[in-house]
């Protein structure tokens, strides 16, 4: 089931979530597989003010699933400014390379440094920013296969627990 909340209501949400997944695509949000003790949040790009008021998010595992492009990593970097413990989900080179048929082009790349990325994230961001794999490469999250998502979720849930 999905609900819509204003910022204040969301910040006061008192549910026993162990994990929160943030996705930037509405289709992925609506089709996200059910995960026990978890909530899926439909993000809003770079606008993290609404989420930053929800202190309860600091108490659960927080996973961000964005596009594999320079803006996806810039959004992740920005989110970590407010929630240092956020982890990326399906934003890795294996996911990118497994979905070559779905690759698209990013028009306006982020070229600034992103200091809050992990080493692996930074390597992939640099590959994208510096056009080492292909010019202006991007993989939109809605093009990641559903079976790939389910396998990654199963692996990640076991890893977190």
């Amino acid at each position: 089931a999905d609900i819509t909340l204003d910022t204040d209501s969301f910040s006061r949400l008192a549910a026993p979530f162990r994990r929160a997944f943030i996705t930037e695509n509405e289709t992925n949000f609506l089709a996200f597989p059910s995960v026990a003790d978890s909530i899926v949040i439909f993000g809003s790009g770079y606008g993290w003010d609404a989420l930053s008021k929800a202190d309860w998010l600091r108490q659960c595992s927080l996973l961000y699933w964005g596009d594999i492009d320079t803006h996806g990593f810039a959004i992740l970097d920005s989110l970590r400014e407010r929630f240092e413990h956020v982890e990326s989900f399906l934003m890795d080179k294996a996911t990118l390379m497994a979905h070559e048929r779905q690759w698209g082009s990013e028009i306006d790349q982020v070229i600034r440094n992103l200091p809050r990325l992990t080493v692996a994230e930074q390597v992939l961001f640099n590959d994208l920013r510096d056009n080492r794999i292909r010019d202006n490469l991007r993989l939109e999250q809605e093009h990641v296969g559903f079976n790939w998502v389910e396998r990654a979720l199963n692996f990640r849930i076991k890893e977190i627990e």
Side-chain angles (χ1 to χ4, degrees):
D2 61 282
I3 60 171
T4 302
L5 299 171
D6 61 32
T7 301
D8 291 333
S9 298
F10 183 78
S11 69
R12 292 190 310 269
L13 196 60
F17 301 120
R18 293 177 54 200
R19 289 170 290 274
F21 295 90
I22 301 172
T23 182
E24 293 299 318
N25 180 277
E26 186 175 13
T27 300
N28 290 3
F29 164 73
L30 293 171
F32 202 90
S34 179
V35 179
D37 303 320
S38 301
I39 185 172
V40 181
I41 302 165
F42 179 38
S44 57
Y46 290 94
W48 299 118
D49 291 337
L51 292 184
S52 63
K53 295 176 183 175
D55 287 332
W56 60 269
L57 285 173
R58 289 167 180 38
Q59 308 306 315
C60 59
S61 295
L62 190 56
L63 296 102
Y64 172 74
W65 179 18
D67 294 334
I68 301 177
D69 63 10
T70 62
H71 282 278
F73 284 109
I75 292 169
L76 174 62
D77 182 77
S78 174
L79 180 57
R80 281 195 180 129
E81 187 174 351
R82 288 158 179 84
F83 298 98
E84 293 177 0
H85 71 291
V86 69
E87 299 175 53
S88 61
F89 179 69
L90 292 172
M91 295 178 70
D92 54 75
K93 193 159 188 176
T95 300
L96 176 66
M97 301 312 286
H99 292 84
E100 185 174 356
R101 294 180 138 201
Q102 287 77 34
W103 287 359
S105 293
E106 182 178 35
I107 295 171
D108 182 30
Q109 289 185 306
V110 172
I111 58 171
R112 72 181 183 279
N113 290 328
L114 303 177
R116 290 174 284 273
L117 298 183
T118 66
V119 171
E121 294 162 351
Q122 189 70 57
V123 167
L124 183 51
F125 169 74
N126 288 339
D127 284 348
L128 296 169
R129 176 183 62 180
D130 299 339
N131 298 304
R132 293 180 187 146
I133 302 169
R134 194 192 83 189
D135 285 352
N136 302 314
L137 176 59
R138 80 181 303 208
L139 174 63
E140 295 178 85
Q141 61 187 257
E142 62 268 27
H143 294 155
V144 174
F146 193 73
N147 288 337
W148 189 271
V149 174
E150 288 183 313
R151 280 192 303 271
L153 269 174
N154 289 334
F155 177 77
R156 198 57 166 282
I157 298 307
K158 288 176 187 172
E159 191 176 74
I160 292 171
E161 294 177 342

